[in-house]
Amino acid sequence: MKLPVYMDSHSTTPVDPRALEAMLPYFAEKFGNAASRNHSFGWEAEQAVESARAQIARLIHADPKEIVFTSGATESDNLALKGVVEMYREKGDHLITAVTEHRAVLDTARRLEKQGIQVTYLPVGEDGRVDPDAVREAITERTILISIMLANNEIGTINPAAEIGRIAKERGVLFHCDATQGVGKIPVDVEAMGIDLMSFTSHKMYGPKGVGALYVRKKNPRVRLAPLFDGGGHERGMRSGTLPVPLIVGFGKACEIAGAVMTEESARLARFRDKMLHTIMETLGEVYLNGHPTERLPHNLNLSFAYVEGESLLMGMKEIALSSGSACTSASLEPSYVLKAMGRGADLAHSSIRFGLGRFNTEEEVDYVIGRVIETVRRLREMSPLYEMAREGIDLKTVNWKVD
Ligand SMILES: Cc1ncc(COP(=O)(O)O)c(C=O)c1O
């Protein structure tokens, strides 16, 4: 087994060698601009783009004409929210989203609020799920868009997207779904789920970084979007800019592979995940699962280890790439807003670790990680005065920490 071990697949994934191979000719040999209509270099590039578009559309049960290429899911989220608001402003000025969305949605919603848009941020249950009834109740005459993610990037909880889609249809409101973590991992069908706009990205599913897509429904209803950029009018006017042909080819191939291997891969990674969950929980006490016990991504495991700081745990296992629930995205080491929204106290939020299994993880690596987690948590707990006190039967909640 080779070190370091990569187990952070929600952050990014390596390019599948088959996708890389498909991309390579499009860097130098077949370098045409897909928008060059007058010569064979352009036709070749255009054909490659259209064949990738079809591969991508097939994976999500869409029509290829409904795929708009972007630079990634951040741009897709921005285009969906800002594009709908600008286009449908006459119709209404209210959006519905949830507190556990990715920053690409939340920060976009905040910016729109500054421009006078009303935004409802729905809470989630302690399993991290959005309640479809809460979505229904939040809809008003002025609502133009519901934006709820398919699966959460930290805790892996899968939202009831099809139910939300049904409610949106009943009320004539558009439904945008950030499916970045779900596409290629679990079955996604934009028709069956009633999705009108959907963001996803190549680098979370073994394709290259720097390319993503926004699914934009073409009929029942036909969704119209104002573009983010002005320019050459590519992508049916919704996203101007020369298409990155090699990246698109890699993205297409990654989608084709995902469709072919998904059933087997999900079952294998879920088995690894359950092995990690059960072995770690049974060996160490006071380990808590974050997120829904069953409605979760097959490759996601998020655990809180009482009396242990997530960051210290990561520092104690530097040869394993994982993510903590209080990643240093801010100077203050704020605990994860997702865990807080689920009602996890600051202590358990600070002690959380996200394991993101991927296509290339082996059982040997899984066993190695299990062993190292158990060993490191034990060592850190041995050094923790709080753990010592708890073991002596002291209820930490009753302790007066002040020194007079
Ligand atoms: C749910 C979700 N949405 C959006 C993004 C942003 O994706 P990209 O890196 O392609 O901009 C991510 C990536 O972390 C994500 O997990």
Side-chain angles (χ1 to χ4, degrees), residues 10-11 71-75 77 101-105 149 151-154 178-181 199-204 210-212 354:
H10 302 288
S11 169
S71 60
T74 300
E75 186 187 330
D77 287 341
E101 290 293 310
H102 191 268
R103 293 276 305 273
V105 167
M149 70 196 332
N152 185 271
N153 44 298
E154 289 188 34
D178 177 345
T180 303
Q181 296 288 345
S199 305
F200 53 114
T201 195
S202 153
H203 76 98
K204 312 271 189 197
V211 66
R354 179 184 71 181

Side-chain angles (χ1 to χ4, degrees), residues 10 125-129 152-158 273 277 281 286-297 300-306 310 323-326 336 338-355:
H10 302 288
E126 57 184 34
D127 51 15
R129 277 192 124 201
N152 185 271
N153 44 298
E154 289 188 34
I155 52 168
T157 294
I158 300 171
R273 183 212 39 210
L277 172 69
M281 271 198 170
E286 296 198 67
V287 177
Y288 304 91
L289 175 70
N290 297 311
H292 199 284
T294 53
E295 290 301 309
R296 66 184 305 127
L297 291 169
N300 174 284
L301 181 63
N302 190 313
L303 297 175
S304 284
F305 300 87
S323 180
S324 84
S326 51
S336 143
V338 173
L339 294 174
K340 279 210 304 207
M342 292 160 53
R344 278 276 184 246
D347 284 1
L348 283 181
H350 270 303
S351 74
S352 82
I353 296 287
R354 179 184 71 181
F355 302 85

Side-chain angles (χ1 to χ4, degrees), residues 89-399:
R89 186 97 194 222
E90 299 284 282
K91 210 174 152 217
D93 57 2
H94 179 229
L95 304 184
I96 298 171
T97 186
V99 289
T100 49
E101 290 293 310
H102 191 268
R103 293 276 305 273
V105 167
L106 290 178
D107 290 1
T108 305
R110 291 254 179 261
R111 184 177 294 276
L112 291 168
E113 271 186 294
K114 288 196 192 116
Q115 297 166 10
I117 298 296
Q118 309 289 317
V119 182
T120 301
Y121 298 91
L122 295 174
V124 293
E126 57 184 34
D127 51 15
R129 277 192 124 201
V130 172
D131 176 1
D133 287 333
V135 175
R136 184 183 281 111
E137 281 157 28
I139 297 174
T140 72
E141 290 300 302
R142 307 288 302 161
T143 310
I144 49 176
L145 183 70
I146 297 166
S147 181
I148 302 287
M149 70 196 332
L150 178 59
N152 185 271
N153 44 298
E154 289 188 34
I155 52 168
T157 294
I158 300 171
N159 275 319
E163 271 180 81
I164 296 169
R166 224 173 359 260
I167 293 164
K169 282 279 152 315
E170 273 165 31
R171 302 291 297 269
V173 177
L174 295 177
F175 175 30
H176 166 247
C177 185
D178 177 345
T180 303
Q181 296 288 345
V183 172
K185 315 293 166 45
I186 55 173
V188 172
D189 181 332
V190 288
E191 283 308 322
M193 292 170 156
I195 293 171
D196 298 309
L197 293 142
M198 187 172 81
S199 305
F200 53 114
T201 195
S202 153
H203 76 98
K204 312 271 189 197
M205 47 180 297
Y206 312 96
K209 294 170 185 56
V211 66
L214 181 66
Y215 158 80
V216 184
R217 179 174 286 282
K218 215 162 52 90
K219 57 175 196 286
N220 303 321
R222 179 184 185 88
V223 178
R224 289 174 311 128
L225 282 184
L228 293 176
F229 328 131
D230 298 305
H234 307 71
E235 299 297 273
R236 289 174 295 123
M238 284 183 264
R239 207 281 193 172
S240 285
T242 300
L243 291 175
V245 180
L247 304 186
I248 288 173
V249 168
F251 187 14
K253 187 67 185 174
C255 286
E256 184 193 281
I257 299 168
V261 305
M262 190 187 295
T263 311
E264 179 277 323
E265 187 167 287
S266 299
R268 176 164 42 91
L269 298 185
R271 186 174 67 75
F272 286 172
R273 183 212 39 210
D274 293 343
K275 183 178 191 182
M276 294 180 76
L277 172 69
H278 295 130
T279 319
I280 291 172
M281 271 198 170
E282 280 156 24
T283 314
L284 296 169
E286 296 198 67
V287 177
Y288 304 91
L289 175 70
N290 297 311
H292 199 284
T294 53
E295 290 301 309
R296 66 184 305 127
L297 291 169
H299 60 302
N300 174 284
L301 181 63
N302 190 313
L303 297 175
S304 284
F305 300 87
Y307 314 109
V308 171
E309 285 273 312
E311 291 289 308
S312 313
L313 186 49
L314 294 191
M315 287 304 114
M317 313 183 294
K318 286 207 184 98
E319 79 288 15
I320 306 173
L322 297 165
S323 180
S324 84
S326 51
C328 318
T329 45
S330 64
S332 59
L333 260 186
E334 270 280 298
S336 143
Y337 65 87
V338 173
L339 294 174
K340 279 210 304 207
M342 292 160 53
R344 278 276 184 246
D347 284 1
L348 283 181
H350 270 303
S351 74
S352 82
I353 296 287
R354 179 184 71 181
F355 302 85
L357 287 154
R359 180 170 295 165
F360 304 109
N361 283 128
T362 61
E363 187 142 15
E364 195 186 5
E365 288 178 334
V366 169
D367 292 337
Y368 177 81
V369 172
I370 292 173
R372 288 287 286 133
V373 167
I374 291 171
E375 181 187 311
T376 314
V377 168
R378 278 190 174 143
R379 184 166 57 75
L380 291 171
R381 282 183 176 170
E382 286 309 318
M383 297 188 316
S384 158
L386 293 181
Y387 183 62
E388 188 70 12
M389 287 166 78
R391 269 216 308 202
E392 282 165 11
I394 300 168
D395 181 355
L396 296 178
K397 286 192 210 81
T398 64
V399 176

